[in-house]
Amino acid sequence: MKEVAHRAGVSVGTVSNVLNRPGNVNEDTLQRVRTAISELGYVRNESARQLRAGHSRTIGLVVLDVANPFFTDLARGVEALAHDADMVVTLCNSDNDGGRQARHLDVLAQQRVRGVLITPLDTHAPSIQHLVDHGIPVVLVDRGSEDATRCSVSVDDVHGGRLAGAHLAGEGHDRIAFVGGPFDIRQVSDRLEGLRAGAPQADVQVVEVNGLSVADGREAARHVIEMPVDRRPTAVLCANDLIALGMLQEVVRAGLRVPEDLALVGYDDIDFAAAAVVPLSSVRQPREQLGRAAAELLLEEAGDAAGQHIHRQVVFRPELVVRTSSGGPDGFGTETVTGEGTA
């Protein structure tokens, strides 16, 4: 900075203002300093700046699976708000592994990040509490908090499952399968609970899979296809769209018709759902809005030096987008069902 100041003929304080508060510097001086920075190839030491300022400009975001487009869209929402706040986001993938999640959180704590957004495997994990004990705010994302001393942003998944169940029952289906797992993931069990509430007269069969991927959907489809016709479900609610897309691929390959032989509904409404060969009905979550809301809560808490921050548990309401795969409009038409839920 001294070299930049010397080259531009200004004080070190003016260089600092150009880097941190350019609005306080007149245009002529601003351009001279920026020219000197460019000519000298100066890059400021962000670690040193953070040490001097006493806080970081980095937010940690820990998700279950970066391959899932749901988390891609969620991260986009986080990054958009972080950008507006002059912050950066470090994205970590736990890959549904508790040990890996703990290692990520340990590294983020060492880096003294401003705060952490996390979709946890276990909301009571000691590694999460470790962050809080060291003054690093944590907001749960896509998870409700059972603790009033922690912020969370989630979706009413029971309501989402209920919308799907009521729709399928309304289409005349009385044998409905739910495909998902593992059931220690709260969203999966909530969506099954909602399905049963929305279709109380139906025979609900549970097909548990080990994960939430396209490959798991293909495996589940083979299991359903091999069932005797008189026991085979006529409709399926999948715990997410990746499972539903895998099932759709395998069902079509086996020569079954969708929705005539098997109606399908996914969950999340990722972009690929509408673009499938048979457009997929899906329970839509406000993915980017989830990310923005979580980041906003985190920055509010991180910036609250007076300790006046009020922890909030924000719950969004999903909606059902009905497409061809469950008897909706042919082609690329849609019908949206919101029902009555909490928000």
Side-chain angles (χ1 to χ4, degrees), residues 18-244:
V18 169
L19 293 171
N20 299 297
R21 294 170 294 277
N24 295 344
V25 183
N26 69 58
E27 186 62 28
D28 178 65
T29 303
L30 191 68
Q31 291 305 319
R32 281 192 290 129
V33 173
R34 285 177 172 170
T35 297
I37 287 173
S38 177
E39 291 173 350
L40 292 171
Y42 168 75
V43 178
R44 66 176 168 183
N45 186 326
E46 180 63 18
S47 297
R49 192 200 72 81
Q50 291 177 11
L51 184 63
R52 180 183 294 270
H55 56 73
S56 170
R57 292 173 54 241
T58 301
I59 295 171
L61 173 60
V62 184
V63 300
L64 293 178
D65 182 8
V66 293
N68 187 334
F70 169 83
F71 290 111
T72 305
D73 292 341
L74 187 148
R76 185 186 296 274
V78 172
E79 198 280 331
L81 191 128
H83 174 79
D84 293 343
D86 195 29
M87 305 287 287
V88 295
V89 179
T90 295
L91 177 62
C92 305
N93 177 36
S94 71
D95 204 26
N96 286 288
D97 183 321
R100 189 167 180 170
Q101 172 183 284
R103 288 193 296 275
H104 283 314
L105 294 180
D106 185 50
V107 170
L108 292 172
Q110 292 173 27
Q111 294 177 347
R112 295 296 190 269
V113 293
R114 195 67 176 273
V116 172
L117 302 168
I118 182 170
T119 303
L121 282 80
D122 177 8
T123 58
H124 302 292
S127 52
I128 296 177
Q129 187 59 44
H130 176 77
L131 292 175
V132 177
D133 291 342
H134 284 76
I136 299 175
V138 174
V139 174
L140 306 183
V141 188
D142 198 33
R143 288 286 194 281
S145 176
E146 300 167 0
D147 184 350
T149 63
R150 187 173 297 158
C151 286
S152 66
V153 178
S154 61
V155 173
D156 186 348
D157 285 309
V158 174
H159 178 63
R162 187 184 299 116
L163 288 176
H167 164 64
L168 292 173
E171 291 291 319
H173 297 286
D174 57 10
R175 293 199 307 274
I176 304 173
F178 178 85
V179 177
F183 281 92
D184 56 1
I185 297 176
R186 179 64 180 270
Q187 293 96 319
V188 175
S189 58
D190 281 355
R191 292 166 193 181
L192 172 58
E193 178 185 341
L195 169 63
R196 285 175 167 151
Q201 306 303 320
D203 173 17
V204 175
Q205 305 172 43
V206 177
V207 179
E208 185 170 2
V209 291
N210 293 324
L212 300 168
S213 69
V214 172
D216 292 305
R218 294 194 192 104
E219 179 182 347
R222 289 191 287 270
H223 174 76
V224 169
I225 291 167
E226 290 170 0
M227 291 182 178
V229 176
D230 60 344
R231 290 185 49 243
R232 181 191 299 161
T234 60
V236 176
L237 171 62
C238 299
N240 75 354
D241 284 341
L242 295 182
I243 289 177

